[in-house]
Amino acid sequence: MKTKISKLANTIRYVIAASATLSAVSVSSAFAQETNNDEPFEKIAVVGSRAAPRSIADSPVPIDIIGAEEMSRSGNTDMLEILKGTVPSLNVHTNPISDAASLVRPANLRGLPADSTLILVNGKKRHRSSVIAFLGGGINDGAQGPDISVIPSIAIKQVEVLRDGAAAQYGSDAIAGVMNFVLKDDSDGGSLSVRHGEYYEGDGASTQVSGNLGMPFTDDGFANVSFQYKNSDATSRSVQRPDAAAFAAAGLNVANPAQIWGSPEINDDITIFGNVGLDLGNDKEFYMFGNYSERDVRGGFYYRNPNTRGGVYGGTIRNVDGAATREPFAADPGNPTTEETAAINAYAAAPATILVGSLDGLDQQLNCPVVEIGSNGLPNQTALDSLTAANCFAFNQTIPEGFTPNFGGNITDAAITIGTKGEFKDGFADGVLYDLSGSVGRNESQYVIYNTLNASLGPNSPRDFRPGKYIQLEKNFNFDLVKRVDAGLYEDMNVAGGLEWHEESFEVIAGDVASYTAGPLTSQGFGIGSNGFPGFKPDAAGVTTRRNYAAYVDVEAQVTEDLLVGGALRYEDYDSFGSTTNYKISAQLHLTDELSVRSSISSGFRAPTVGQANVSNVQTSLDGGVLVDSALLAPTNPISIQLGGSELQPEESDSYTLGGVYQDGDFFMTIDYYNIQVSDRLSQSDKINLTDVDRDALRAIEPNIDSFQQVSFFTNDFDTTTQGIDVVANYSADLFEGSSTFSLAYNWNETEVTKFSDITGAFKVKRLEEDLPQHRGTFTWAQSWENVSMFTRANYYGEYQGVHVDYDATAITAGSAVTVDFEISYMFTDEITVSVGAQNLFDQEAERINIPAAQGIPNNNWGGVYYETSPMGFNGGLYYISANYNF
């Protein structure tokens, strides 16, 4: 804990020093005081308009608002899970074995990747995470979005979800929509909350302590501070793998289960958020807000079979003539030549052996004893015992049972925004509202991997490694002006304009030497680097920076009493790939006092991140069910270019919506259709298996090319059309001698890949189109009496594609399911409330793995129980108890 406090102090000093250099500090979405209204159908939104905040019923674009009370009722402490239960078009997956995606989970709004949704805090752009989801399950492959999980619900007054393209208003990343997290701004009072929960299975216990305190900041301001501290145990939804069970039966000391499918362990997850405002008089104010967050995450990887894992236990094969060779590859696997067929048949007929290396060097490897694998699955013990005398080595001597790496990291996140806003009172600018702001945000991920080895170091390999760090740093400056202009319309026209400057840098810091070095056994077929996640080499380390600036104009006019029209135009210029101009037009027409129709049409873009354009990494992935080393290379790497890569360009989008709003007394309903066409979509390519021909051609570029079985890179390779319908309805009434609120939300979403090449691959296309359910819905009933309140929600998930280990042979169509959440609270006093509840109350089971019999693969081949694409998660029911003290 002392280390974390020291790091907190250093980070705060860094952020304050950086903020002190800001001479102007991001666009404010509104210049009027935010309105807090607890009435369910008069909630006020700041996002989506640069005019005064308006009721969501009077917005020309669809907006969801989730208030603090609703967030507090969720059985989950993760902000992503809270939002998933309220916004049906938002999908969040639990990632059990997904490299960095298990550290920062991606979220998908309207079927688009995590970095297609712009995240704001108090209307200011939030920096993205340093974590890139290398194994993102199709839709999120390569996504690099902000880390929403660091935002604690106790710090939030409300969350505004704009479900519409907004790049012309806010810039890059707003193709799917915008989420704005509005921080609490109370100047007095506060709350303290303690919550403990555990899954029905008896694991995954989590304890959270959180608090919020509002204080006066002189007589004219506020200082609102929130904190959250929590720990979560890991979960396991696993069974023993058949190969591990066979080794255990043969006498090896293999863990049961050898491989864990479950949520990772999270330790010392601490977050501090602050929000400060000060009235400077004369219609001017100062504001400042920011955060510091840190957590340690640790999860599982794939089990390394002690006979077959290439580069560690397997890889050298003895043919019948006793010569050493490696597994042959056909130039065209679907049509091997006669010579290739003969080599493949000889390989298949050869006795199975383990990988043996000579400690005397490559020229002595053929003098090492051949260690064949017996019918019991174990290496011949006599031959194994003879290795030491011959100065030879095999990992079966030191780790005979195989091993399962644990992957994790330390994630730190810090940000600060400082600004001033107000109204000019004289001169030519009289009546003009202004907002001048600057912000800096930093996210660092320090990776660790345990219980693995660098095979090329042989018996001298350590077992734990620090593969390096990624650091994302962003700076924003904004200056914005708003003026109400008399244009002879029903109301004064709102005209806004502004300038923005943004700098983004992505830094790679090399890992410890043992995590990446090529040891003395490299040339004998042993793998390089910490197995599972090799360290970042010094030649891959460094900082890459990109800058861009933007100018925008935004107009909104109440043309008549019944017609609202808006338009926005934004020009943005990047020093890497050039400029882009985007527009948006929106309108709402009231047909009657109760019914209105609304529509929008817009263009948009998403700039490739600096990390996506420059990152390289080596990871372990499954190819046809076999563990292999896969290299992710920069798109401009010569190897990537030879395989079809090129410099990244922005995604471009065109979208339109058409919907209606109906409000009559206590009943409120919206229906909105959307259509989003994205061209040149940016994602990680399919993993390209290297042939001998490829290796021969690439060996001059990369001398260690033989250690890679696959290569991938980021690319703009495919186009998509996503369409859907959102339905939201609310009704309030006095029922059952109390107050009742009913809410219904439904989403239909369909994505079609309209253009792609072999670089993307047919299976990834199938994942993009079918992994997410097309139908999602929630029905909520909230009931309150004098001292008792109750909350229940039914969640519907439609059919989806069940995929296991990212392998097409495992894919099935999984059935629909319904889960129920429930909470009941008792107010002992005006200050103290105790709640008990459950998420997935009836323990609805996720779809069990059921691989088609024709594939000939056991369901538990990799130790999993449930498909990891389950939209409701796979951990089952969770119960919890919480106590809250308000003061």
Side-chain angles (χ1 to χ4, degrees):
M1 193 66 184
K2 288 182 179 180
T3 301
K4 289 203 171 183
I5 292 173
S6 176
K7 291 177 70 176
L8 168 60
N10 289 336
T11 302
I12 291 175
R13 284 195 292 269
Y14 166 80
V15 171
I16 291 176
S19 65
T21 67
L22 305 180
S23 59
V25 234
S26 207
V27 174
S28 177
S29 299
F31 296 85
Q33 177 67 34
E34 296 170 5
T35 302
N36 181 21
N37 193 325
D38 293 330
E39 292 299 319
F41 314 133
E42 290 296 325
K43 291 182 176 179
I44 303 301
V46 176
V47 73
S49 171
R50 297 187 189 277
R54 64 175 66 255
S55 163
I56 60 175
D58 293 325
S59 171
V61 292
I63 298 174
D64 297 312
I65 292 185
I66 304 99
E69 182 179 358
E70 184 174 356
M71 286 188 286
S72 69
R73 296 191 186 110
S74 174
N76 205 298
T77 59
D78 190 312
M79 178 60 75
L80 288 173
E81 292 295 329
I82 294 172
L83 296 176
K84 184 179 82 171
T86 306
V87 183
S89 57
L90 182 70
N91 284 275
V92 182
H93 281 152
T94 303
N95 298 297
I97 298 180
S98 301
D99 278 355
S102 61
L103 308 183
V104 176
R105 293 192 300 150
N108 311 112
L109 184 65
R110 287 185 160 179
L112 294 173
D115 46 12
S116 289
T117 301
L118 179 65
I119 305 301
L120 308 175
V121 175
N122 281 358
K124 309 298 181 180
K125 184 174 181 178
R126 180 77 177 168
H127 62 280
R128 67 181 76 252
S129 166
S130 58
V131 170
I132 301 175
F134 297 126
L135 298 177
I139 187 172
N140 288 307
D141 284 346
Q144 188 187 1
D147 185 1
I148 299 175
S149 67
V150 304
I151 305 174
S153 60
I154 200 166
I156 302 302
K157 180 164 68 174
Q158 66 182 33
V159 181
E160 304 164 357
V161 182
L162 170 63
R163 294 178 277 109
D164 190 43
Q169 295 169 292
Y170 298 104
S172 178
D173 301 354
I175 288 179
V178 179
M179 291 186 186
N180 182 33
F181 294 84
V182 182
L183 300 175
K184 289 180 179 177
D185 54 7
D186 301 309
S187 60
D188 59 6
S191 62
L192 182 66
S193 177
V194 179
R195 179 185 299 244
H196 179 80
E198 188 172 310
Y199 287 100
Y200 291 6
E201 293 287 332
D203 58 8
S206 63
T207 301
Q208 172 184 294
V209 180
S210 55
N212 171 262
L213 177 63
M215 300 171 288
F217 184 49
T218 75
D219 293 336
D220 301 311
F222 69 89
N224 194 278
V225 180
S226 303
F227 79 91
Q228 178 177 281
Y229 179 79
K230 64 180 178 179
N231 288 283
S232 299
D233 293 340
T235 66
S236 175
R237 301 296 176 264
S238 318
V239 293
Q240 186 63 301
R241 294 170 44 133
D243 55 351
F247 291 131
L252 297 182
N253 184 25
V254 182
N256 187 9
Q259 180 173 314
I260 302 295
W261 292 90
S263 299
E265 177 184 3
I266 302 176
N267 291 314
D268 295 333
D269 187 350
I270 185 170
T271 291
I272 300 171
F273 259 84
N275 187 25
V276 176
L278 178 64
D279 187 345
L280 301 176
N282 200 27
D283 292 324
K284 295 179 175 62
E285 65 178 275
F286 163 83
Y287 58 87
M288 178 175 66
F289 57 89
N291 77 285
Y292 174 83
S293 306
E294 183 175 3
R295 67 182 181 274
D296 294 313
V297 184
R298 182 168 176 172
F301 258 16
Y302 293 105
Y303 169 64
R304 272 53 176 169
N305 183 300
N307 292 340
T308 62
R309 177 59 176 101
V312 180
Y313 292 105
T316 297
I317 303 299
R318 297 288 174 161
N319 284 331
V320 290
D321 60 359
T325 184
R326 61 180 174 82
E327 179 180 356
F329 292 87
D332 180 0
N335 186 30
T337 65
T338 302
E339 293 78 9
E340 288 171 340
T341 300
I344 292 171
N345 291 337
Y347 167 81
T353 65
I354 65 172
L355 178 58
V356 175
S358 171
L359 299 180
D360 293 326
L362 175 63
D363 58 340
Q364 297 298 313
Q365 187 181 27
L366 291 178
N367 296 328
C368 290
V370 176
V371 183
E372 297 182 0
I373 299 172
S375 59
N376 62 352
L378 302 184
N380 181 281
Q381 193 61 47
T382 301
L384 195 65
D385 292 341
S386 68
L387 293 180
T388 302
N391 206 25
C392 298
F393 172 78
F395 280 102
N396 302 73
Q397 296 174 286
T398 56
I399 320 174
E401 68 279 0
F403 62 95
T404 305
N406 284 160
F407 177 74
N410 173 267
I411 310 296
T412 59
D413 185 281
I416 190 168
T417 296
I418 300 175
T420 181
K421 60 184 178 180
E423 181 179 350
F424 294 114
K425 290 294 189 179
D426 49 35
F428 74 94
D430 183 34
V432 174
L433 303 172
Y434 69 88
D435 190 323
L436 186 64
S437 66
S439 62
V440 59
R442 183 180 187 272
N443 185 278
E444 175 185 309
S445 49
Q446 162 73 69
Y447 297 116
V448 291
I449 188 165
Y450 306 98
N451 193 41
T452 188
L453 46 82
N454 180 340
S456 68
L457 294 174
N460 298 317
S461 173
R463 299 301 306 275
D464 301 332
F465 303 85
R466 291 186 174 271
K469 296 180 183 180
Y470 288 148
I471 299 175
Q472 177 80 13
L473 179 65
E474 298 185 37
K475 302 171 186 176
N476 256 39
F477 294 88
N478 293 84
F479 181 56
D480 299 274
L481 301 170
V482 174
K483 172 71 174 176
R484 302 284 291 180
V485 177
D486 184 359
L489 303 176
Y490 181 77
E491 291 181 357
D492 289 348
M493 182 169 60
N494 193 84
V495 179
L499 300 171
E500 178 177 349
W501 178 88
H502 179 246
E503 180 183 87
E504 174 183 354
S505 66
F506 185 79
E507 182 176 5
V508 179
I509 297 178
D512 54 50
V513 174
S515 71
Y516 62 78
T517 192
L521 296 183
T522 298
S523 58
Q524 300 180 44
F526 287 80
I528 302 169
S530 45
N531 190 268
F533 198 92
F536 311 139
K537 299 178 181 179
D539 57 6
V543 182
T544 307
T545 301
R546 181 184 67 199
R547 297 178 181 89
N548 62 284
Y549 66 87
Y552 81 87
V553 61
D554 191 316
V555 178
E556 192 169 274
Q558 192 74 46
V559 179
T560 69
E561 182 179 4
D562 297 323
L563 178 62
L564 173 70
V565 176
L569 188 68
R570 185 183 183 97
Y571 171 83
E572 198 129 5
D573 186 84
Y574 288 79
D575 62 11
S576 54
F577 52 76
S579 62
T580 177
T581 301
N582 294 276
Y583 73 91
K584 181 172 183 176
I585 300 172
S586 60
Q588 183 175 36
L589 176 64
H590 284 268
L591 302 178
T592 68
D593 289 343
E594 295 81 19
L595 178 64
S596 66
V597 293
R598 60 189 182 187
S599 181
S600 70
I601 181 170
S602 64
S603 64
F605 75 104
R606 185 177 77 80
T609 73
V610 177
Q612 290 169 334
N614 295 279
V615 73
S616 60
N617 186 35
V618 178
Q619 61 206 23
T620 295
S621 62
L622 279 164
D623 177 43
V626 178
L627 289 179
V628 298
D629 291 328
S630 178
L632 171 70
L633 303 177
T636 53
N637 183 291
I639 296 177
S640 302
I641 292 175
Q642 184 157 321
L643 295 173
S646 61
E647 185 173 356
L648 298 181
Q649 299 297 318
E651 297 177 348
E652 296 183 352
S653 69
D654 292 289
S655 64
Y656 63 89
T657 65
L658 178 63
V661 180
Y662 181 81
Q663 181 173 358
D664 185 7
D666 292 324
F667 180 76
F668 173 78
M669 183 175 185
T670 65
I671 301 176
D672 294 279
Y673 168 81
Y674 57 88
N675 186 291
I676 308 169
Q677 299 177 24
V678 187
S679 59
D680 298 325
R681 266 186 66 169
L682 178 67
S683 182
Q684 187 176 344
S685 74
D686 194 15
K687 293 177 174 61
I688 301 170
N689 284 301
L690 297 175
T691 67
D692 282 349
V693 174
D694 292 330
R695 286 186 170 83
D696 291 340
L698 297 171
R699 193 163 281 111
I701 302 172
E702 174 55 66
N704 292 325
I705 193 68
D706 286 322
S707 65
F708 304 153
Q709 283 75 37
Q710 299 175 326
V711 166
S712 64
F713 45 87
F714 286 98
T715 178
N716 300 95
D717 183 61
F718 60 98
D719 301 345
T720 61
T721 296
T722 298
Q723 62 176 337
I725 295 175
D726 285 323
V727 180
V728 177
N730 297 286
Y731 176 69
S732 292
D734 292 330
L735 298 173
F736 310 111
E737 300 182 352
S739 176
S740 302
T741 301
F742 300 93
S743 302
L744 172 69
Y746 165 79
N747 171 255
W748 165 70
N749 189 88
E750 179 182 77
T751 293
E752 179 186 2
V753 179
T754 55
K755 188 195 79 173
F756 71 98
S757 75
D758 290 340
I759 291 177
T760 295
F763 180 54
K764 183 170 181 177
V765 168
K766 195 167 186 290
R767 298 207 65 177
L768 289 163
E769 295 181 338
E770 301 180 19
D771 270 15
L772 297 179
Q774 288 190 356
H775 300 276
R776 278 279 323 275
T778 64
F779 178 76
T780 303
W781 172 28
Q783 181 75 25
S784 61
W785 295 275
E786 185 175 355
N787 295 318
V788 178
S789 62
M790 179 270 294
F791 174 89
T792 186
R793 172 183 288 138
N795 308 281
Y796 172 78
Y797 302 91
E799 292 183 347
Y800 62 95
Q801 179 173 247
V803 178
H804 187 43
V805 300
D806 198 20
Y807 186 21
D808 57 352
T810 70
I812 65 160
T813 299
S816 59
V818 175
T819 66
V820 176
D821 304 330
F822 178 80
E823 179 181 286
I824 187 167
S825 302
Y826 183 77
M827 184 181 294
F828 285 90
T829 68
D830 290 341
E831 296 80 22
I832 299 175
T833 302
V834 174
S835 305
V836 294
Q839 185 179 9
N840 193 357
L841 175 66
F842 301 110
D843 199 21
Q844 170 63 50
E845 192 176 52
E847 190 83 13
R848 283 183 169 265
I849 294 170
N850 185 22
I851 301 173
Q855 302 297 342
I857 303 171
N859 287 333
N860 64 334
N861 201 52
W862 298 280
V865 177
Y866 306 107
Y867 286 102
E868 53 266 31
T869 50
S870 170
M872 64 182 187
F874 49 74
N875 283 315
L878 168 80
Y879 65 87
Y880 61 92
I881 182 170
S882 66
N884 189 74
Y885 174 66
N886 292 307
F887 54 90

